[in-house]
Amino acid sequence: MTVLAALALMSGVFVVASPPASAAPLVNAKVTVNRINALSSDDEGLCGRVDWYVKVWINGVAFNNEDTDDQDDREGIPDILPDWEFSVPNLDVATLPQKDGAAFLPVVVEAWDEDGGFCLEDNQYDVSPTAATAFLADVRVAPCDVSVEGEAPIACGTPIVRSGNGDDRAELTVTVAVDPPPSAPGLRIRCTHTPAWPQPGEAVTVTATALDGALNPTIVPNQLEIWLSPTDRQTTSGVGTFTRNLTATAPSFTYGCRPTSGGTTIFSGWRRSTVGDPTPNFTFPKPAVPISYTGGQGSRIDVVFIADSDTYTGPGPVGRNPMFQADVALALNSGIYGFDPYLANQDLFNVWLLQDNTGKSVDFATGDDHELPVLWDEIFAFADVGVILHRKAAQRDFGMPDDHIAAVNLARGDAMGVVRHEIGHVPFGLADEYCCDAAYFYNEVAPNVYEDLTGDEGCDTDAPNLGRVRDACRALEEDGDVWYTSEPGDLTTGLMNDDVMNDNGPANAADIRRFNLIFGDCRIAKC
């Protein structure tokens, strides 16, 4: 089975209608291209098979995903289910155009075939049954609905299918959503479930916790909600955290959390969790199981948790080992969602686990290399990072971009900081900032470590871009080579937690710049 086929089976088309719109002053507007299916083409065969990409405009903001990794992976397939998501975050509702007394925003989607070569120009396909060739819509913000070319409104979150009538025509499926953002100044929401991978009939607990900007539980929102569907919510007030319980039923359940505090509303986004084995007829190695799936891989950071073969064993599939289940929940809920840059962008993560496949973390001191799961670079190539969890003491952890793999020792006292640090390496591409036995490298875009102190690509030159003086840089020496960073490190002797890439502490200016770059790419289907 190809990687794309396996992902389609596991993830499917993820469409959940938005909850009833609130009077949120800021919203995220999202357009998801769920499907493009070629119906007829004059040049099919002459210019090769169709290579789909799209051009999208949301309130005048233009997007184009030509030549992205996910688009390239789908070339030559006339009928695709990409779930390409494009979003404009933090739109100020008060500045949007008004129509019939309500704020609205225009949306345009065009379907294109990438040609080139002897065919020269790319070819736009007709996806409208009218004289237009594009999908044209007006989106009302609250209550959220979509009017396509003046037709009757359709509720947001509903897949809208349109077909063209030209010589080169296609069927296009689009979903539009307008939701509160996943974070706001001074307000965060942690929305989690346990167990990580429930089985049919098992009790599941969903927990919503309102947090302040420092991720402390000091917020007591006016209203705190847990949604299990667009029509199924429980609401409380006067408390900062509460839970909902449900009985797991195959194939999956969906949930999201929404607090309102002082007139500000945020929404975790919907996530879907698999119940039981979704591929009972598959043999080893089975596909990864999505335990928190929020959207298409081209618009998400895909994190896959892997059991270390020495730490977790059977009987039964290793993915159901109780300690592994607990450790996955810990690494996700406290590690990833315990770090503000990740929590503030929680709607951009998909989280998976391997149910019958393992890796192995080994100590660098032995001279051995880590062991990858079977067929890691084949059927699991979609993963932006695989995180091998283990509990083998006195073993150094790692993040290796070439293998899109990392390892975290959960026996460490600072294990949650290690989760954040290693994911900082892979997939975010941050270099180590501690001295002097580390992985140093230079990124041409948004670096945090530099080969040169001065010059166009030097640390001193970039320091003012990070709000620092030119002489803020410090040296990192390794094997006779000298590297530089302006990020803080060991500010106070014996004090840990200066920086996520130094000693597993908070994110600082260069880290945040890199996170914003990658998350920004995800919001335009370029993950």
Side-chain angles (χ1 to χ4, degrees):
M1 175 174 284
T2 66
V3 172
L4 288 176
L7 289 176
L9 176 66
M10 298 301 298
S11 56
V13 175
F14 184 38
V15 176
V16 179
S18 301
S22 65
L26 299 177
V27 294
N28 283 12
K30 298 185 291 186
V31 172
T32 303
V33 177
N34 306 112
R35 182 182 184 187
I36 314 175
N37 180 24
L39 299 178
S40 177
S41 174
D42 277 350
D43 64 356
E44 183 76 9
L46 297 175
C47 298
R49 304 192 69 180
V50 66
D51 301 330
W52 291 120
Y53 70 95
V54 293
K55 297 179 182 180
V56 177
W57 290 262
I58 304 174
N59 198 42
V61 180
F63 305 93
N64 182 330
N65 74 327
E66 184 180 11
D67 291 330
T68 62
D69 289 343
D70 193 75
Q71 185 264 333
D72 287 342
D73 288 342
R74 300 176 191 274
E75 288 186 350
I77 305 173
D79 186 0
I80 62 172
L81 299 165
D83 275 356
W84 290 327
E85 182 182 289
F86 306 86
S87 63
V88 179
N90 296 316
L91 278 170
D92 186 346
V93 174
T95 67
L96 293 176
Q98 297 285 314
K99 180 181 291 186
D100 298 328
F104 80 98
L105 52 92
V107 166
V108 179
V109 182
E110 296 178 351
W112 287 79
D113 172 22
E114 181 183 22
D115 285 330
F118 292 111
C119 294
L120 300 178
E121 296 182 355
D122 294 351
N123 186 30
Q124 183 182 357
Y125 274 60
D126 184 3
V127 296
S128 172
T130 70
T133 55
F135 175 94
L136 305 173
D138 287 334
V139 180
R140 183 171 59 170
V141 172
C144 187
D145 56 35
V146 185
S147 177
V148 182
E149 297 190 60
E151 296 178 3
I154 300 170
C156 286
T158 304
I160 302 171
V161 182
R162 288 291 183 274
S163 298
N165 53 19
D167 292 336
D168 295 329
R169 60 185 182 270
E171 180 185 84
L172 178 72
T173 304
V174 171
T175 306
V176 178
V178 180
D179 294 320
S183 64
L187 181 61
R188 304 288 187 268
I189 180 67
R190 183 180 292 137
C191 188
T192 63
H193 76 272
T194 54
W197 179 29
Q199 303 305 303
E202 195 167 5
V204 175
T205 299
V206 177
T207 303
T209 303
L211 304 167
D212 62 23
L215 304 195
N216 294 316
T218 63
I219 299 294
V220 180
N222 309 88
Q223 189 164 280
L224 185 58
E225 306 164 356
I226 295 178
W227 297 74
L228 299 183
S229 78
T231 58
D232 181 1
R233 70 168 175 171
Q234 283 188 5
T235 303
T236 187
S237 60
V239 297
T241 185
F242 88 109
T243 62
R244 285 192 69 177
N245 297 314
L246 62 110
T247 300
T249 303
S252 64
F253 63 93
T254 303
Y255 67 98
C257 305
R258 190 170 76 170
T260 298
S261 179
T264 298
T265 299
I266 61 175
F267 180 52
S268 65
W270 293 104
R271 63 273 319 260
R272 185 178 66 199
S273 181
T274 301
V275 175
D277 183 356
T279 53
N281 297 322
F282 277 52
T283 58
F284 174 86
K286 291 190 174 188
V289 175
I291 61 171
S292 182
Y293 186 85
T294 66
Q297 284 74 28
S299 304
R300 296 295 185 271
I301 299 292
D302 286 282
V303 179
V304 178
F305 285 112
I306 303 162
D308 176 82
S309 58
D310 292 332
T311 303
Y312 311 97
T313 59
V318 68
R320 293 179 58 181
N321 177 289
M323 183 166 65
F324 180 61
Q325 288 271 308
D327 284 349
V328 167
L330 177 65
L332 174 59
N333 299 342
S334 298
I336 294 177
Y337 294 157
F339 186 54
D340 189 56
Y342 300 162
L343 182 65
N345 294 280
Q346 61 187 293
D347 59 325
L348 298 177
F349 283 95
N350 287 334
V351 184
W352 314 66
L353 60 75
L354 297 190
Q355 52 181 315
D356 65 345
N357 203 349
T358 61
K360 186 175 181 179
S361 176
V362 299
D363 197 332
F364 287 114
T366 67
D368 295 328
D369 199 1
H370 56 278
E371 295 180 7
L372 299 173
V374 175
L375 297 181
W376 177 246
D377 290 323
E378 287 78 27
I379 63 176
F380 306 110
F382 73 92
D384 292 295
V385 61
V387 181
I388 301 174
L389 300 180
H390 69 96
R391 289 183 171 273
K392 295 182 283 194
Q395 188 172 115
R396 184 172 176 178
D397 297 307
F398 60 80
M400 295 186 172
D402 289 347
D403 289 327
H404 55 112
I405 201 81
V408 173
N409 180 5
L410 293 178
R412 291 179 53 158
D414 61 345
M416 297 303 99
V418 178
V419 172
R420 303 157 196 162
H421 176 99
E422 302 304 345
I423 291 178
H425 281 315
V426 192
F428 289 98
L430 287 166
D432 283 323
E433 297 166 6
Y434 56 83
C435 190
C436 295
D437 177 22
Y440 302 131
F441 52 85
Y442 172 74
N443 288 308
E444 291 187 0
V445 180
N448 67 315
V449 168
Y450 310 77
E451 293 182 275
D452 302 316
L453 179 60
T454 59
D456 291 344
E457 297 181 346
C459 182
D460 274 359
T461 303
D462 195 30
N465 298 326
L466 299 170
R468 296 169 179 149
V469 297
R470 285 183 173 270
D471 61 356
C473 299
R474 57 187 174 91
L476 304 167
E477 297 186 24
E478 182 183 35
D479 297 330
D481 295 324
V482 181
W483 300 76
Y484 302 92
T485 184
S486 64
E487 295 284 83
D490 304 323
L491 296 177
T492 304
T493 302
L495 179 66
M496 297 291 287
N497 301 325
D498 293 319
D499 187 282
V500 63
M501 301 312 296
N502 178 48
D503 50 13
N504 308 329
N508 286 287
D511 311 315
I512 293 169
R513 179 175 65 180
R514 187 77 188 172
F515 290 137
N516 289 342
L517 172 71
I518 304 302
F519 285 130
D521 283 347
C522 291
R523 295 199 182 277
I524 57 176
K526 292 185 177 180
C527 264

